[in-house]
């Protein structure tokens, strides 16, 4: 007997297939026959064993995640041929199959061995997978997310029940990663993100997870409810080796693996409808592209003749953009180099001036042996250094901002670059003295001061009778005064000499520290600049290349549409405008139907 849930699911599937039928007809009529064919293949794919595909840049921990989910499988290949190969971890069959096997482009299998010729991957059976009857596909990304292998991974995602994008906790998602995630989400309904290596960033990984979740919500709104989880493969593996159940469970829970398994199982509960849901998602993406193209055509067709003439006059701008495409990376390299060199010169000049002023000030300062005076001077030195640092960094940030807006002068600055420009963390290094006051023990010159002082005291006692004072002074015999005078002379001279020496030592110490502090501060400022350029440059390159290509494509399209519209008669132009409006309305209705179907399929 069919349950209510199965009945509801069957009804949702039938409704979704009807929507897909309409969607593919619309796409063929709009000139998107290839997209329609892909959608049909996706919708009619056999509902075999669910497939979880792990994508993302290489070196981020995809293979380790797969090994955690299939504990009895180890390594990413066999016989040393595992590099840059796809790895399928499949549920073991009841019969004694071939076990590990090479996979070839025609889907054939063979036992691994030296005679294998150009396999595309390896298949490894698992008997103890944490996700039961599920295929795990470890997809490599040699060369980065824009390389051919990563683009091929997008094609392989057509077989995915769930796509898991893997990154690590070292930083927030880059613009290239977000762009790739957007491509994944355009054809797979169930998408999740795993942040690995959380054990390497114990103090910040949770902020990275929260930040990535916020990025997805802002940049790819449809993934606002997708799971974003932190996982430590090292902690999970360590937990598996422990014998004490409470400690093991605690460490395993802290690793994040149980949370990942729960999230995957929750999404895999809908694996039976995954192919239909993915087909709907692909149809929505293709129809949205068609809608944007029709809106552009409508804007051109409905524009005044003067505006179309102005668009056709943009041929010169098209040539400029093509030339810019050839040399912009060289200009960027030059501009960033000039910016860094300019800031270095300003830092050197400001700190040399500061050094000279403080050397002059210290030379004329007295009483440096006094603790309060030295403490106040040190505080002033640090305050001025931090002020110079703040001024130089503020100016550098202004120049970076100007450079970015100058590069993207014809379009609004992309959100990812705005976020990066606002996210510059000021250096936390604080100035400090490299040497402390010297507290010496025995000093021979101090002993000499005592000797000289006592000699002067005895000389004074011997001089008094010569001055005609007589044998007494204030009623005290001169002979009796000779010893106190000797002691007083020694103490007074010792005090004066020690005061002078401490003053000189403290002054020399501070004079030596000033150039060292200036050099250290210069290094701090340059490290900051290098770090900012190192983080910004890859984002600039990826984003600007995409924006420039979009601008070229859009401008070419505008020119072509303007030319086509100018060749129509007034009556034909009005008919075309009405046809475009009807087509946009039909697409809007179909998009709403697709959204409703996806919502129904997600209901459990």
């Amino acid at each position: 007997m069919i349950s209510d849930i199965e009945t509801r699911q069957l009804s949702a599937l039938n409704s979704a297939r009807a929507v897909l039928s309409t969607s593919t007809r619309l796409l063929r009529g709009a000139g998107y026959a290839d997209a329609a064919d892909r959608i049909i293949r996706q919708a009619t794919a056999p509902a075999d064993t669910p497939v979880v595909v792990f994508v993302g840049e290489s070196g981020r921990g995809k293979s380790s995640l797969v090994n955690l989910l299939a504990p009895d499988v180890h390594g990413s290949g066999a016989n040393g041929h595992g590099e840059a190969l796809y790895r399928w971890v499949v549920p073991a069959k009841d019969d004694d199959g071939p076990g590990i096997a090479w996979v070839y482009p025609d889907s054939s299998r063979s036992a691994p061995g030296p005679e294998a010729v150009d396999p595309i991957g390896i298949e490894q059976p698992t008997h103890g997978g944490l996700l039961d009857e599920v295929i795990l596909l470890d997809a490599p990304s040699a060369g980065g997310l824009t390389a051919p292998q990563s683009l091929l991974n997008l094609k392989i995602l057509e077989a995915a029940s769930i796509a898991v994008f893997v990154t690590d906790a070292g930083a927030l998602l880059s613009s290239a990663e977000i762009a790739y995630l957007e491509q994944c989400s355009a054809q797979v309904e169930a998408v999740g993100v795993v942040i690995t290596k959380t054990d390497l960033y114990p103090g910040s990984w949770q902020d990275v997870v929260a930040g990535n979740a916020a990025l997805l919500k802002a940049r790819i709104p449809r993934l606002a409810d997708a799971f974003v989880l932190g996982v430590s493969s090292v902690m999970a593996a360590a937990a598996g080796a422990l014998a004490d159940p409470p400690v093991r469970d605690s460490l395993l829970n802290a690793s994040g693996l149980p949370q990942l398994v729960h999230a995957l199982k929750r999404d895999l509960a809908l694996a039976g409808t995954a192919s239909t849901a993915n087909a709907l998602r692909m149809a929505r993406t293709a129809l949205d592209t068609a809608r944007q193209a029709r809106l552009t055509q409508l804007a051109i067709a409905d524009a005044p003749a003067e505006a179309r003439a102005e668009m056709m006059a943009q041929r010169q701008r098209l040539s400029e953009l093509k030339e810019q495409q050839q040399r912009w990376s060289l200009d960027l390299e030059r501009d960033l180099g000039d910016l860094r060199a300019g800031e270095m010169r300003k830092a050197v000049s400001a700190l040399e001036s500061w050094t000279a002023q403080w050397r002059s000030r210290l030379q004329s300062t007295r009483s440096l042996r006094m603790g309060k005076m030295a403490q106040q001077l040190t505080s002033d030195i640090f305050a001025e250094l931090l002020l110079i640092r703040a001024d130089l960094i503020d100016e550098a940030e202004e120049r970076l901002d100007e450079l970015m807006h100058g590069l993207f002068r014809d379009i609004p600055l992309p959100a990812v670059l705005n976020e990066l420009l606002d996210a510059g963390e000021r250096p936390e290094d604080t100035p400090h003295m490299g040497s402390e006051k010297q507290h010496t023990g025995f000093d021979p010159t101090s002993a000499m001061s005592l000797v000289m002082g006592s000699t002067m005291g005895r000389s004074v006692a011997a001089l008094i009778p010569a001055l005609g004072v007589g044998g007494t002074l204030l009623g005290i015999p001169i002979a009796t005064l000779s010893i106190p005078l000797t002691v007083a002379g020694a103490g007074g001279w010792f005090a004066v000499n020690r005061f002078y020496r401490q003053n000189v030592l403290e002054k020399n110490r501070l004079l030596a520290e000033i150039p060292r502090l200036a050099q250290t501060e210069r290094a701090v400022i340059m490290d900051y600049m290098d770090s900012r350029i190192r983080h910004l440059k890859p984002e600039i390159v990826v984003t600007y290349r995409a924006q420039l290509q979009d601008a070229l494509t859009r401008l070419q399209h505008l020119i072509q549409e303007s030319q086509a519209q100018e060749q129509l008669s007034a009556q034909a132009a009005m008919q075309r405008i009405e046809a475009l409006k009807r087509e946009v309305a039909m697409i809007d209705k179909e998009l709403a139907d697709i959204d409703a179907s996806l919502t129904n399929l997600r209901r459990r």
Side-chain angles (χ1 to χ4, degrees):
M1 182 177 179
I2 300 177
S3 66
D4 290 342
I5 295 177
E6 291 173 325
T7 301
R8 191 164 57 246
Q9 192 175 66
L10 184 60
S11 175
L13 279 171
N14 290 333
S15 176
R17 287 165 183 154
V19 170
L20 283 171
S21 177
T22 305
S23 296
T24 51
R25 284 200 305 272
L26 271 176
L27 286 169
R28 289 187 189 282
Y32 293 84
D34 289 344
D37 291 340
R38 282 188 65 202
I39 291 164
I40 291 173
R41 285 197 301 270
Q42 178 67 55
T44 56
D48 295 329
T49 308
V51 180
V52 180
V53 182
F54 294 83
V55 294
E57 291 195 67
S58 295
R60 300 301 180 90
K62 295 192 298 292
S63 298
S64 297
L65 276 181
V66 172
N67 293 340
L68 285 177
L69 295 169
D72 61 334
V73 172
H74 302 286
S76 59
N79 296 345
H81 295 284
E83 292 300 321
L85 288 176
Y86 293 90
R87 181 167 63 124
W88 285 267
V89 177
V90 301
K93 302 189 184 307
D94 293 334
D95 57 344
D96 294 328
I100 295 176
W102 288 122
V103 180
Y104 297 95
D106 61 356
S107 298
S108 62
R109 285 4 183 214
S110 75
E115 69 281 359
V117 179
D118 296 329
I120 63 168
I122 187 168
E123 185 176 88
Q124 298 174 307
T126 177
H127 295 270
L130 302 182
L131 298 176
D132 301 324
E133 294 294 310
V134 174
I135 296 173
L136 307 176
L137 174 53
D138 179 5
S141 296
L145 295 178
T146 58
Q149 192 161 47
S150 292
L151 299 180
L152 177 60
N153 291 345
L154 293 173
K155 175 70 175 174
I156 290 174
L157 280 175
E158 291 183 9
S161 305
I162 305 174
V164 178
F165 186 86
V166 182
T167 184
D168 62 41
L172 292 176
L173 291 166
S174 67
S175 59
E177 289 176 309
I178 291 174
Y180 195 81
L181 255 171
E182 197 164 16
Q183 291 176 289
C184 295
S185 69
Q187 59 186 26
V188 181
E189 181 61 15
V191 179
V193 177
V194 175
I195 289 90
T196 61
K197 304 181 182 180
T198 57
D199 52 285
L200 296 180
Y201 306 92
S204 61
W205 72 266
Q206 290 175 318
D207 292 335
V208 172
V209 169
N212 283 336
L215 271 177
L216 288 186
K217 187 173 183 179
R219 300 288 299 280
I220 314 176
R222 92 157 195 86
L223 296 183
D225 296 327
F227 68 78
V228 182
L229 299 170
V231 176
S232 169
S233 300
V234 172
M235 292 174 65
L242 294 175
D244 187 348
V247 177
R248 181 182 63 240
D249 294 345
S250 177
L251 187 60
L252 187 63
N253 187 66
S255 74
L257 180 60
Q259 294 87 328
L260 173 61
V261 171
H262 174 76
L264 289 173
K265 285 185 175 180
R266 181 193 62 207
D267 287 349
L268 284 169
L270 298 174
T273 62
S275 59
T276 303
N278 290 349
L280 286 168
R281 179 55 59 187
M282 291 166 64
R284 198 191 194 295
T285 300
L287 282 170
D288 195 53
T289 301
R291 181 179 183 275
Q292 293 302 320
R294 294 299 180 265
L295 288 175
T296 300
Q297 293 173 335
L298 186 57
I300 294 170
D302 212 11
E306 298 81 9
R308 287 196 299 274
E310 185 177 342
M311 291 177 190
M312 293 178 66
Q314 290 292 316
R315 289 192 181 92
Q316 178 61 34
R317 174 60 181 149
L318 184 63
S319 300
E320 291 174 1
L321 279 175
K322 287 180 177 178
E323 181 181 354
Q324 188 177 347
Q325 195 174 32
Q326 298 296 322
R327 59 167 297 155
W328 72 268
S329 59
L330 296 176
D331 291 343
L332 175 64
E333 199 75 41
R334 177 204 63 204
D335 292 342
L336 288 174
D338 288 347
L339 188 151
R340 186 188 185 282
E343 292 309 309
M344 171 67 87
R345 287 192 297 271
K346 289 175 183 175
V348 169
S349 176
L351 290 167
E352 282 181 350
S353 175
W354 175 84
T355 300
Q357 291 173 5
W358 268 101
R359 288 179 71 88
S360 175
R361 181 175 172 182
L362 288 171
Q363 291 287 8
S364 61
T365 301
R366 302 180 184 278
S367 302
L368 282 174
R369 74 177 188 87
M370 298 173 61
K372 288 185 178 180
M373 175 65 74
Q375 186 178 1
Q376 182 60 50
L377 285 174
T378 302
S379 177
D380 292 345
I381 287 170
F382 291 167
E384 288 189 15
L385 269 181
L386 291 175
L387 186 60
I388 290 172
R389 177 195 295 181
D391 289 343
L392 287 170
I393 288 178
D394 285 344
E395 186 174 350
E397 289 295 330
E398 287 179 11
R399 287 198 61 194
L400 271 175
D401 190 81
E402 290 171 2
L403 190 154
M404 293 301 97
H405 284 88
L407 186 64
F408 292 87
R409 60 185 179 276
D410 297 322
I411 54 176
L413 193 65
V416 65
L417 289 179
N418 259 326
E419 292 165 4
L420 278 174
L421 284 173
D422 294 339
E425 294 185 5
R426 301 300 174 105
E428 295 182 357
D429 310 67
T430 55
H432 65 279
M433 291 295 181
S435 62
E436 300 298 332
K437 290 183 179 181
Q438 297 180 358
H439 299 284
T440 57
F442 174 75
D443 187 350
T445 59
S446 297
M448 286 300 298
S449 296
L450 288 170
V451 173
M452 290 176 62
S454 63
T455 302
M456 290 174 63
R458 287 196 302 270
S459 298
V460 170
L463 183 62
I464 290 175
L467 296 175
V469 175
T472 62
L473 181 64
L474 300 177
I476 303 173
I478 295 298
T480 305
L481 286 175
S482 62
I483 294 176
L485 285 174
T486 299
V487 174
W493 186 257
F494 175 77
V496 170
N497 183 268
R498 185 168 179 79
F499 176 91
Y500 172 78
R501 284 180 53 75
Q502 286 182 344
N503 197 58
V504 169
L505 286 172
E506 184 65 12
K507 182 177 292 187
N508 288 339
R509 185 179 76 89
L510 291 175
L511 286 172
E513 283 296 303
I514 291 300
R516 187 197 68 79
L517 286 169
Q519 184 176 3
T520 302
E521 195 60 32
R522 185 161 60 245
V524 168
I525 294 168
M526 286 304 101
D527 284 347
Y528 174 81
M529 284 300 305
D530 289 341
S531 176
R532 290 291 278 147
I533 291 173
R534 189 166 56 250
H535 283 87
L536 275 169
K537 187 177 177 181
E539 300 299 330
I540 296 169
V541 170
V542 172
T543 307
Y544 190 76
R545 183 183 291 132
Q547 295 283 0
L548 188 58
Q549 186 58 50
D550 287 347
L552 276 168
T553 303
R554 186 166 58 252
L555 190 54
Q556 287 173 327
H557 188 61
L558 287 173
I559 292 172
Q560 292 169 0
E561 287 295 325
S562 298
Q563 289 174 331
Q565 190 67 23
E566 286 298 312
Q567 294 173 2
L568 296 177
S569 65
Q571 183 178 0
M574 288 302 299
Q575 290 175 346
R576 186 165 186 265
I577 289 171
E578 292 302 319
L580 287 170
K581 288 181 178 178
R582 285 194 299 272
E583 195 169 354
V584 170
M586 291 171 64
I587 291 175
D588 284 342
K589 180 182 181 304
E590 190 64 17
L591 289 174
D593 290 344
I594 289 174
D595 289 340
S597 293
L598 285 170
T599 300
N600 289 334
L601 287 177
R602 283 195 293 267
R603 289 175 180 164
R604 291 173 171 80

